[in-house]
Amino acid sequence: MDWMLRSDLWVIAIYLLGMMGIGCWVSAGARDVEGFTVGNRALPSWAVGMSVLGTFLSSITFLALPAKTYAQGNWNAAIFGFMPPVAAAVAVVYFVPLYRRRVRLSAYEFLEQRFGYWARAYGAIANIALQLIRIGTVLLLVALAVEPMLQWATPEGWDGQAWQSAKILGLIGVCGIVVIIYDLLGGIQAVVWTDVAQVVVLTVGAVWVLVSLMVDGTQGPREFVAAMPLERLEFGQFWNWDAQTGFWDWGATTVLVTGLYGLTENLRNYGTDQNYVQRMLCVRDDAAAIRSLQLGAWGYVPLNVVFCLIGTALWMHYHQGSGQLPEHLPADAVLPYYITSELPRPIAGLVIAAIMAAAMSTIDSSMNSCSMVALADLVLRWRRGPGWLPDIVILR
């Protein structure tokens, strides 16, 4: 029963109970289709903007960005995180007016208007498949990342491998069940308000890790900044031009390639992903939708910098400071190792909760958009027969 005395587990439990409490709190507003799917089109723009930010972030971001910055020796990975504001500038001009005037619930209604129902059904089914894959991937990755941070004593009669597998399955089950409960209770309103709480938790967790690294030992933030190696703050080569062949190497992770990838991926998010289109429809007017997208996009930029600074600070801690790493520890395991070995238990619990929050803010959006697309594009459409076309609601 020693696990009941662990303060880190109590922090995680309080966080999970808080997420379900938010679902219960907003459940009264999710009794009909409009309330469950688009929050009666009356959610505040700042909350929807933070939900957009939470959808951008995931546990992969929380762990992979520091790992890439740590391993690559530069900030090339940060280029992707500077692209959302550029994509949002395009989205507020083209996508917000398009979707708010041409669709009622689902982005794929527009496909039917242009090409017929086959295109709408294809887009809906493809989106559901993509989101289910995304949910499974994020759940597995967060379980694999968090499991080593929960170094409990193995129960009697269990071998180490069996207990490790049980923890991974338990983490997947707990995160999935909690998200299903609050998503089922409150619909998109629960998703938005839990995303607000999750963004706060993951931001506090990330900043706490960075500050802990910056004040490592006797040094302070000023000494940390002065000691930062400038070569590790570079973005890498702008492009890779092969003078012998006369061609660019588009396979290299240059500034140009990473920037183009970030721009096209974020344009795809705003233009075709139901997670983002749904949030455009959750507010009262176009101006509120524009504010939401801009808040989510610009909010990602400082967090992107924080995560990359964590990667650089980890390298300084273990290669220039007093930290000692186990031999042959991979880059993506350095941050989890630091959390479990060098942070106090309550703070480690907060950071673990932040990693889980980053995962759950992605999972809940995917689950809710899947249910919305299945309802609007498949179930209701098939019930009303092939001759039914959805009414176009003009939003102003």
Side-chain angles (χ1 to χ4, degrees):
M1 300 296 288
D2 291 342
W3 62 271
M4 295 187 66
L5 303 177
R6 294 179 61 100
S7 55
D8 52 350
L9 298 185
W10 280 107
V11 172
I12 296 170
I14 292 170
Y15 160 74
L16 294 173
L17 290 173
M19 294 302 100
M20 289 191 288
I22 292 174
C24 295
W25 172 54
V26 300
S27 60
R31 301 295 174 84
D32 54 20
V33 173
E34 285 278 316
F36 189 87
T37 57
V38 289
N40 296 311
R41 308 183 194 276
L43 292 172
S45 59
W46 68 267
V48 176
M50 291 189 71
S51 181
V52 171
L53 175 57
T55 305
F56 271 126
L57 295 165
S58 71
S59 55
I60 302 173
T61 309
F62 201 111
L63 297 170
L65 264 181
K68 286 183 179 179
T69 309
Y70 177 93
Q72 290 180 347
N74 60 39
W75 276 35
N76 181 267
I79 300 296
F80 182 94
F82 296 140
M83 292 298 108
V86 181
V90 177
V92 299
V93 174
Y94 295 103
F95 298 139
V96 169
L98 171 68
Y99 286 119
R100 286 187 59 84
R101 284 159 177 75
R102 298 296 297 271
V103 306
R104 179 170 176 264
L105 294 176
S106 166
Y108 309 108
E109 295 171 26
F110 182 65
L111 291 179
E112 181 173 14
Q113 298 165 21
R114 292 295 302 273
F115 305 109
Y117 179 68
W118 70 268
R120 178 178 179 180
Y122 175 81
I125 294 171
N127 176 75
I128 291 172
L130 174 64
Q131 297 303 327
L132 290 176
I133 293 171
R134 187 184 189 193
I135 291 170
T137 302
V138 172
L139 279 173
L140 177 60
L141 289 178
V142 73
L144 291 174
V146 172
E147 184 275 328
M149 304 181 199
L150 303 177
Q151 298 292 345
W152 309 334
T154 304
E156 185 177 353
W158 289 64
D159 60 41
Q161 187 64 39
W163 182 233
Q164 181 184 32
S165 300
K167 283 193 289 182
I168 291 174
L169 291 175
L171 286 165
I172 291 173
V174 167
C175 288
I177 290 170
V178 170
V179 171
I180 289 171
I181 290 174
Y182 71 68
D183 203 345
L184 184 63
L185 289 173
I188 189 62
Q189 296 184 62
V191 171
V192 168
W193 289 112
T194 53
D195 282 353
V196 171
Q198 287 159 356
V199 167
V200 172
V201 170
L202 70 89
T203 300
V204 171
V207 171
W208 201 303
V209 171
L210 178 59
V211 172
S212 298
L213 287 163
M214 292 175 68
V215 298
D216 174 45
T218 58
Q219 71 176 13
R222 184 175 300 177
E223 291 78 10
F224 170 82
V225 173
M228 291 178 70
L230 295 179
E231 65 274 7
R232 297 193 70 87
L233 302 179
E234 297 175 352
F235 294 112
Q237 193 175 8
F238 185 79
W239 60 50
N240 193 1
W241 173 264
D242 191 334
Q244 295 182 346
T245 63
F247 292 100
W248 282 307
D249 181 6
W250 292 100
T253 54
T254 60
V255 172
L256 180 61
V257 170
T258 306
L260 287 175
Y261 170 64
L263 179 60
T264 55
E265 178 66 12
N266 284 290
L267 284 174
R268 181 199 66 80
N269 287 337
Y270 287 126
T272 66
D273 194 327
Q274 177 66 19
N275 290 322
Y276 296 87
V277 174
Q278 188 173 0
R279 281 154 180 76
M280 298 179 197
L281 305 176
C282 288
V283 291
R284 289 184 176 88
D285 51 35
D286 289 7
I290 290 171
R291 288 195 299 270
S292 300
L293 295 186
Q294 290 177 334
L295 174 60
W298 284 102
Y300 187 77
V301 174
L303 283 174
N304 177 58
V305 173
V306 167
F307 289 129
C308 290
L309 274 173
I310 289 174
T312 302
L314 284 170
W315 186 88
M316 295 171 61
H317 176 70
Y318 288 115
H319 291 82
Q320 295 180 344
S322 58
Q324 297 293 325
L325 281 176
E327 292 186 6
H328 309 299
L329 190 70
D332 57 1
V334 174
L335 178 56
Y337 176 80
Y338 175 81
I339 293 170
T340 54
S341 63
E342 303 198 36
L343 291 180
R345 276 189 178 178
I347 305 306
L350 174 66
V351 177
I352 294 171
I355 295 172
M356 296 174 70
M360 293 167 70
S361 64
T362 301
I363 296 166
D364 60 13
S365 298
S366 295
M367 282 188 178
N368 190 266
S369 69
C370 279
S371 63
M372 181 175 180
V373 167
L375 175 67
D377 295 319
L378 302 177
V379 176
L380 292 180
R381 182 62 173 78
W382 291 342
R383 278 183 184 176
R384 302 187 186 190
W388 175 78
L389 288 176
D391 294 331
I392 298 173
V393 176
I394 305 298
L395 302 175
R396 301 188 185 278

